[in-house]
Amino acid sequence: MFTKILIANRGEIACRVIATCRKLGIRTVAVYSEADAGARHVRLADEAYCVGPAASRESYLRIDRIIEVCKQSGAQAVHPGYGFLSENESFAHACEENGVVFIGPPVKSIRAMGLKSAAKALMQQAKVPLVPGYHGADQDPALLQREADRIGYPVLIKASAGGGGKGMRVVNAANEFAAALASCQREARTSFGDDNVLIEKYLQQPRHIEIQVFADRAGNTISLNERDCSAQRRHQKVVEEAPAPSVKPDQRAAMGKAACDAARAVGYVGAGTVEFIADSQGNFYFMEMNTRLQVEHPVTEMITGLDLVEWQLRVAAGENLPLTQEQVPLNGHSIEVRIYAEEPEKGFLPSVGRLAYFRTPAPSAHVRLDTGVEQGDEITPHYDPMIAKLIVWDHTREAAIERMLGALAETRIVGVGHNVNFLSRLVGHPAFREGRVDTGLIERERAALIPTAAELPKQIFEVAALAQLATERDQSSSSPWSITDGWRINGTQTRTLQFSAGEQTATVSVQYTSTGYLIGDEPARVVRTSDSDLRLTIGQRHINTAVVKSGEQMHVFLRGQQHVLTYNDPLVHAGETEETQGGLTAPMPGKIIALLSEPGAEVAKGAPLLVMEAMKMELTVFAPSKGKLVSYLCNAGDQVKEGVPLVDFQAST
Ligand code: MV4
């Protein structure tokens, strides 16, 4: 086994690989871009090397730099994760040339599956089921038209060099074919530099079912069951599960065999995924093979109890597969959702910003969370906006759905927009619950999954009001209500709190009583059980909720949905005048360029103290008043996060 490997990736998958290495006693080398200097994968690895600026092209995709770090660090092998260089033939080849083991399939397998027409021809020879279609070399438009007519409409034209849904055109009738062909070829030429196409019978709303395969160098190839990844949006997977709700044991066996035949046909070694589409009659057809570990591998791990990264490392180190096909377990049901920094309400617009608050359910035998970020970290525009993968397991699919809804309700994210509410609605949707999941589900049920902003019920505001009062009570030493006068002394026993949410405004009046509060004529109590969790009682109702304040915003987490309100706090604006605005903490994430003064120096108000570079601009941090620069808390060259103290400064009076 290796003693040290390099992980040529970032984010959750880099952290995931590091976890297995730690378990096996393998030392880890991380690479990172300038934007990721403080990232979780860098913090977790034993060593880390910067490979370039934020842009992936200049860092995570720099084959030369990554090979250089292998040599420098003495890493014996490279795990490419997914995305980036994971299916890049040149990278796999460069590793080989430099005596570093590429933890992935042989170059020839990557190449064989890279071109779809050639891959389909190979699959045909191996008797893997294919959608009726044409994947020949002759690209004469008249011939292609005849082939489409023969297959029968609707047909799908696909770019031969494409994948993941790029460059596809549906053609419903013969007279639309020529125009669709020309448009597909144009897109293929610009996107892939190759305008070859193939034609297939178009299956309406198929299921996406994929088989996890594993092969070793001794020629053993096995299937680790299937995953259903039909819940997608624009070819981006949203929910994945294993086993597939529609697959019966004999179809599983047939798909598993077909997937192993596909892998053998290209001399596969390591972890791979053979993707099929399936119709409602149980027919299935080969689509493509992904020659890497996939994002959704955890659901397979949950139902098999296996560590797929461990298997990858063992196979790459020359060991044989530890199980035979008959020994592969299939226990219970697992579901994964991808938590993205994107706003479904705004057309799934990606969101960036700092994770001001980030709480997830405690890991257990039922709940797993794979992430590359922690509270306080930044979601940047440079990379994929996935915040985390939440994975659950239970004995049955129904129980797993309940687990997922519970785990989503315990997921609290404040600071960036996210899709958690959307995921709760999707997993809780009747069609999903009943296993009626196909590739058209999200689009069809859009209205139910992304409701337009409705009036919030009064109870949300009552919860926010009680949370606000409880916060004041819990911080009573610093609460102006207890310092100044108070309501007790003055007999001001009623508080009136004002909130807004979008266009809506609400006023909640709360009376203090000896045992708690009175809202309307209902007695209320508040028990705080964590920094955000509250147990409320209003009248006879018991309400478990969580409330996170972020400036004037209050995020109320109630019954699996997150609501954002504004609390119009009369005190916030009262105390503002004396504050010197920020100044000595980093106003945004960036890099320290120069320190301009000396520790111990007495400086005048407005004296420049340091220069940093952020968002491609230089900005200077000035002394907020006359005073003493006690010490610098950073060095030139440091990458700093927003809010990090930069200077210990003592104002003189
Ligand atoms: C298809 C298809 C219908 N019929 N092929 C899209 C991604 C690529 N891997 C294959 N894709 C499809 N190929 C035929 N002959 C429908 C899709 C498809 C799809 C497949 C899987 C998951 C989501 C999808 C969404 C739209 C279309």
Short mmCIF file of all heavy atoms in Angstrom, two decimals, residues 116 131-132 156 158 163-166 168 200-208 229-230 232 235 275-277 287-288 439-440, ligand 1:
data_model
loop_
_atom_site.label_atom_id
_atom_site.label_comp_id
_atom_site.label_asym_id
_atom_site.label_seq_id
_atom_site.Cartn_x
_atom_site.Cartn_y
_atom_site.Cartn_z
N LYS A 116 -18.16 8.85 -27.86
CA LYS A 116 -19.38 8.07 -27.68
C LYS A 116 -19.66 7.09 -28.82
O LYS A 116 -20.11 5.97 -28.56
CB LYS A 116 -20.57 9.03 -27.53
CG LYS A 116 -20.57 9.66 -26.14
CD LYS A 116 -21.96 9.80 -25.58
CE LYS A 116 -22.74 10.83 -26.32
NZ LYS A 116 -23.17 11.96 -25.55
N VAL A 131 -29.65 1.74 -27.15
CA VAL A 131 -30.87 2.31 -27.70
C VAL A 131 -30.79 2.14 -29.21
O VAL A 131 -29.72 2.35 -29.80
CB VAL A 131 -30.96 3.83 -27.42
CG1 VAL A 131 -32.35 4.37 -27.69
CG2 VAL A 131 -30.51 4.15 -26.02
N PRO A 132 -31.91 1.78 -29.88
CA PRO A 132 -31.86 1.71 -31.34
C PRO A 132 -31.32 3.03 -31.89
O PRO A 132 -31.74 4.10 -31.46
CB PRO A 132 -33.34 1.53 -31.74
CG PRO A 132 -34.00 0.95 -30.52
CD PRO A 132 -33.23 1.45 -29.34
N LEU A 156 -33.10 11.51 -31.08
CA LEU A 156 -32.21 12.44 -30.38
C LEU A 156 -30.90 12.47 -31.16
O LEU A 156 -30.35 11.40 -31.48
CB LEU A 156 -31.99 11.92 -28.96
CG LEU A 156 -31.40 12.82 -27.91
CD1 LEU A 156 -32.22 14.10 -27.76
CD2 LEU A 156 -31.35 12.08 -26.57
N LYS A 158 -27.06 13.45 -30.84
CA LYS A 158 -26.08 13.74 -29.78
C LYS A 158 -24.71 13.98 -30.39
O LYS A 158 -24.32 13.30 -31.33
CB LYS A 158 -25.96 12.54 -28.82
CG LYS A 158 -27.22 12.22 -28.04
CD LYS A 158 -26.97 11.05 -27.08
CE LYS A 158 -28.20 10.80 -26.23
NZ LYS A 158 -28.02 9.64 -25.32
N GLY A 163 -21.32 14.68 -23.79
CA GLY A 163 -21.48 13.90 -22.57
C GLY A 163 -22.23 14.77 -21.59
O GLY A 163 -22.26 15.99 -21.75
N GLY A 164 -22.86 14.11 -20.61
CA GLY A 164 -23.59 14.87 -19.60
C GLY A 164 -24.66 15.76 -20.19
O GLY A 164 -25.03 16.75 -19.60
N GLY A 165 -25.16 15.39 -21.38
CA GLY A 165 -26.31 16.12 -21.92
C GLY A 165 -25.95 17.31 -22.78
O GLY A 165 -26.83 17.98 -23.30
N LYS A 166 -24.64 17.57 -22.94
CA LYS A 166 -24.26 18.73 -23.77
C LYS A 166 -24.41 18.39 -25.25
O LYS A 166 -24.05 17.30 -25.68
CB LYS A 166 -22.80 19.13 -23.48
CG LYS A 166 -22.71 20.15 -22.34
CD LYS A 166 -21.26 20.45 -21.98
CE LYS A 166 -20.87 19.71 -20.71
NZ LYS A 166 -19.53 19.25 -20.55
N MET A 168 -27.22 18.11 -27.28
CA MET A 168 -28.25 17.16 -27.69
C MET A 168 -29.42 17.92 -28.34
O MET A 168 -29.73 19.03 -27.94
CB MET A 168 -28.80 16.39 -26.49
CG MET A 168 -27.76 15.63 -25.69
SD MET A 168 -28.48 14.34 -24.63
CE MET A 168 -29.84 15.19 -23.86
N GLU A 200 -30.14 8.55 -31.92
CA GLU A 200 -30.79 7.52 -31.11
C GLU A 200 -32.29 7.72 -31.10
O GLU A 200 -32.77 8.84 -31.21
CB GLU A 200 -30.30 7.59 -29.65
CG GLU A 200 -28.87 7.15 -29.47
CD GLU A 200 -28.40 7.29 -28.02
OE1 GLU A 200 -29.19 7.78 -27.17
OE2 GLU A 200 -27.25 6.92 -27.75
N LYS A 201 -33.00 6.64 -30.91
CA LYS A 201 -34.43 6.73 -30.59
C LYS A 201 -34.53 7.54 -29.30
O LYS A 201 -33.76 7.32 -28.36
CB LYS A 201 -34.97 5.31 -30.37
CG LYS A 201 -36.42 5.26 -29.98
CD LYS A 201 -37.30 5.33 -31.21
CE LYS A 201 -38.76 5.55 -30.86
NZ LYS A 201 -39.52 6.03 -32.04
N TYR A 202 -35.45 8.50 -29.26
CA TYR A 202 -35.59 9.33 -28.07
C TYR A 202 -36.58 8.70 -27.10
O TYR A 202 -37.73 8.47 -27.45
CB TYR A 202 -36.05 10.74 -28.46
CG TYR A 202 -36.27 11.66 -27.27
CD1 TYR A 202 -35.23 11.92 -26.39
CD2 TYR A 202 -37.50 12.26 -27.05
CE1 TYR A 202 -35.41 12.76 -25.31
CE2 TYR A 202 -37.70 13.11 -25.96
CZ TYR A 202 -36.64 13.35 -25.09
OH TYR A 202 -36.83 14.18 -24.02
N LEU A 203 -36.12 8.41 -25.92
CA LEU A 203 -36.99 7.86 -24.87
C LEU A 203 -37.52 9.02 -24.04
O LEU A 203 -36.75 9.82 -23.53
CB LEU A 203 -36.20 6.94 -23.95
CG LEU A 203 -36.17 5.46 -24.30
CD1 LEU A 203 -35.41 5.21 -25.57
CD2 LEU A 203 -35.54 4.68 -23.16
N GLN A 204 -38.86 9.09 -23.89
CA GLN A 204 -39.45 10.19 -23.14
C GLN A 204 -39.39 9.89 -21.65
O GLN A 204 -39.78 8.82 -21.22
CB GLN A 204 -40.91 10.38 -23.55
CG GLN A 204 -41.10 10.25 -25.04
CD GLN A 204 -41.63 11.50 -25.68
OE1 GLN A 204 -41.88 12.49 -25.01
NE2 GLN A 204 -41.80 11.47 -26.98
N GLN A 205 -38.92 10.86 -20.91
CA GLN A 205 -38.87 10.77 -19.45
C GLN A 205 -38.37 9.41 -18.93
O GLN A 205 -39.08 8.70 -18.22
CB GLN A 205 -40.24 11.09 -18.87
CG GLN A 205 -40.52 12.56 -19.06
CD GLN A 205 -41.96 12.93 -18.86
OE1 GLN A 205 -42.81 12.09 -18.64
NE2 GLN A 205 -42.22 14.22 -18.93
N PRO A 206 -37.15 9.08 -19.31
CA PRO A 206 -36.60 7.82 -18.81
C PRO A 206 -36.12 7.99 -17.37
O PRO A 206 -36.08 9.09 -16.85
CB PRO A 206 -35.40 7.60 -19.73
CG PRO A 206 -34.94 8.99 -20.08
CD PRO A 206 -36.18 9.84 -20.11
N ARG A 207 -35.80 6.87 -16.76
CA ARG A 207 -35.08 6.93 -15.49
C ARG A 207 -33.59 6.84 -15.78
O ARG A 207 -33.20 6.16 -16.73
CB ARG A 207 -35.49 5.78 -14.59
CG ARG A 207 -36.93 5.85 -14.15
CD ARG A 207 -37.23 4.73 -13.18
NE ARG A 207 -38.66 4.63 -12.95
CZ ARG A 207 -39.24 4.76 -11.75
NH1 ARG A 207 -38.50 5.01 -10.68
NH2 ARG A 207 -40.54 4.62 -11.63
N HIS A 208 -32.81 7.54 -14.97
CA HIS A 208 -31.36 7.45 -15.08
C HIS A 208 -30.92 6.47 -14.00
O HIS A 208 -31.03 6.74 -12.82
CB HIS A 208 -30.75 8.84 -14.83
CG HIS A 208 -29.26 8.83 -14.65
ND1 HIS A 208 -28.41 9.67 -15.32
CD2 HIS A 208 -28.46 8.08 -13.87
CE1 HIS A 208 -27.17 9.44 -14.96
NE2 HIS A 208 -27.16 8.47 -14.07
N CYS A 229 -30.52 8.15 -10.32
CA CYS A 229 -30.18 9.58 -10.28
C CYS A 229 -31.11 10.36 -11.20
O CYS A 229 -30.69 11.29 -11.89
CB CYS A 229 -28.74 9.81 -10.71
SG CYS A 229 -27.56 8.71 -9.94
N SER A 230 -32.37 9.96 -11.24
CA SER A 230 -33.29 10.58 -12.19
C SER A 230 -33.67 12.00 -11.81
O SER A 230 -34.04 12.79 -12.68
CB SER A 230 -34.56 9.73 -12.30
OG SER A 230 -34.23 8.44 -12.75
N GLN A 232 -33.01 15.22 -11.64
CA GLN A 232 -31.97 16.11 -12.14
C GLN A 232 -32.60 17.41 -12.59
O GLN A 232 -33.77 17.47 -12.91
CB GLN A 232 -31.31 15.51 -13.38
CG GLN A 232 -30.83 14.11 -13.24
CD GLN A 232 -29.71 13.81 -14.22
OE1 GLN A 232 -29.38 14.63 -15.08
NE2 GLN A 232 -29.11 12.65 -14.08
N HIS A 235 -29.43 18.47 -16.29
CA HIS A 235 -28.33 17.52 -16.23
C HIS A 235 -27.48 17.66 -14.98
O HIS A 235 -26.39 17.11 -14.89
CB HIS A 235 -27.46 17.60 -17.49
CG HIS A 235 -28.28 17.44 -18.74
ND1 HIS A 235 -28.96 16.28 -19.01
CD2 HIS A 235 -28.58 18.29 -19.73
CE1 HIS A 235 -29.62 16.42 -20.15
NE2 HIS A 235 -29.43 17.64 -20.60
N GLU A 275 -23.64 4.17 -17.03
CA GLU A 275 -24.92 4.86 -16.96
C GLU A 275 -25.88 4.28 -17.99
O GLU A 275 -25.52 4.11 -19.16
CB GLU A 275 -24.65 6.34 -17.25
CG GLU A 275 -25.85 7.24 -17.19
CD GLU A 275 -25.52 8.64 -17.71
OE1 GLU A 275 -24.45 9.18 -17.37
OE2 GLU A 275 -26.34 9.18 -18.48
N PHE A 276 -27.10 3.99 -17.53
CA PHE A 276 -28.15 3.50 -18.41
C PHE A 276 -29.35 4.44 -18.32
O PHE A 276 -29.54 5.12 -17.32
CB PHE A 276 -28.63 2.11 -17.96
CG PHE A 276 -27.58 1.03 -18.01
CD1 PHE A 276 -26.82 0.72 -16.88
CD2 PHE A 276 -27.36 0.32 -19.18
CE1 PHE A 276 -25.86 -0.29 -16.92
CE2 PHE A 276 -26.40 -0.70 -19.23
CZ PHE A 276 -25.64 -1.00 -18.10
N ILE A 277 -30.18 4.44 -19.38
CA ILE A 277 -31.52 4.98 -19.19
C ILE A 277 -32.48 3.80 -19.26
O ILE A 277 -32.24 2.82 -19.99
CB ILE A 277 -31.90 6.10 -20.19
CG1 ILE A 277 -31.73 5.66 -21.63
CG2 ILE A 277 -31.08 7.35 -19.91
CD1 ILE A 277 -32.20 6.73 -22.63
N MET A 287 -25.77 4.24 -21.87
CA MET A 287 -25.63 5.64 -22.29
C MET A 287 -24.16 6.03 -22.38
O MET A 287 -23.66 6.46 -23.38
CB MET A 287 -26.30 6.59 -21.28
CG MET A 287 -27.79 6.65 -21.37
SD MET A 287 -28.30 7.65 -22.81
CE MET A 287 -28.99 6.37 -23.83
N GLU A 288 -23.47 5.92 -21.25
CA GLU A 288 -22.03 6.24 -21.25
C GLU A 288 -21.40 5.64 -20.00
O GLU A 288 -22.11 5.14 -19.12
CB GLU A 288 -21.79 7.76 -21.29
CG GLU A 288 -22.54 8.57 -20.26
CD GLU A 288 -22.51 10.08 -20.59
OE1 GLU A 288 -23.25 10.53 -21.47
OE2 GLU A 288 -21.74 10.78 -19.93
N THR A 439 -36.62 11.64 -15.23
CA THR A 439 -35.79 12.82 -15.49
C THR A 439 -36.60 14.09 -15.72
O THR A 439 -36.04 15.18 -15.79
CB THR A 439 -34.88 12.55 -16.71
OG1 THR A 439 -35.73 12.10 -17.78
CG2 THR A 439 -33.87 11.49 -16.40
N GLY A 440 -37.94 13.96 -15.84
CA GLY A 440 -38.77 15.14 -16.05
C GLY A 440 -39.44 15.64 -14.78
O GLY A 440 -40.14 16.66 -14.80
C1 MV4 B 1 -31.24 10.13 -23.82
C2 MV4 B 1 -32.53 10.50 -23.40
C3 MV4 B 1 -33.59 9.95 -24.09
N1 MV4 B 1 -33.37 9.10 -25.11
N2 MV4 B 1 -31.08 9.30 -24.85
C4 MV4 B 1 -28.84 13.13 -21.07
C5 MV4 B 1 -27.47 13.03 -20.50
C6 MV4 B 1 -26.84 11.88 -21.17
N3 MV4 B 1 -26.03 11.14 -20.24
C7 MV4 B 1 -27.96 11.08 -21.71
N4 MV4 B 1 -29.12 11.89 -21.67
C8 MV4 B 1 -30.28 11.47 -22.22
N5 MV4 B 1 -30.16 10.61 -23.22
C9 MV4 B 1 -32.12 8.83 -25.47
N6 MV4 B 1 -31.94 8.01 -26.51
C10 MV4 B 1 -32.68 11.37 -22.36
C11 MV4 B 1 -31.55 11.87 -21.76
C12 MV4 B 1 -31.80 12.79 -20.71
C13 MV4 B 1 -31.44 12.49 -19.41
C14 MV4 B 1 -30.81 11.31 -19.08
C15 MV4 B 1 -30.46 11.05 -17.81
C16 MV4 B 1 -30.75 11.96 -16.82
C17 MV4 B 1 -31.36 13.13 -17.12
C18 MV4 B 1 -31.72 13.43 -18.42
C19 MV4 B 1 -32.36 14.62 -18.70
C20 MV4 B 1 -32.69 14.90 -19.98
C21 MV4 B 1 -32.41 13.99 -20.99
#
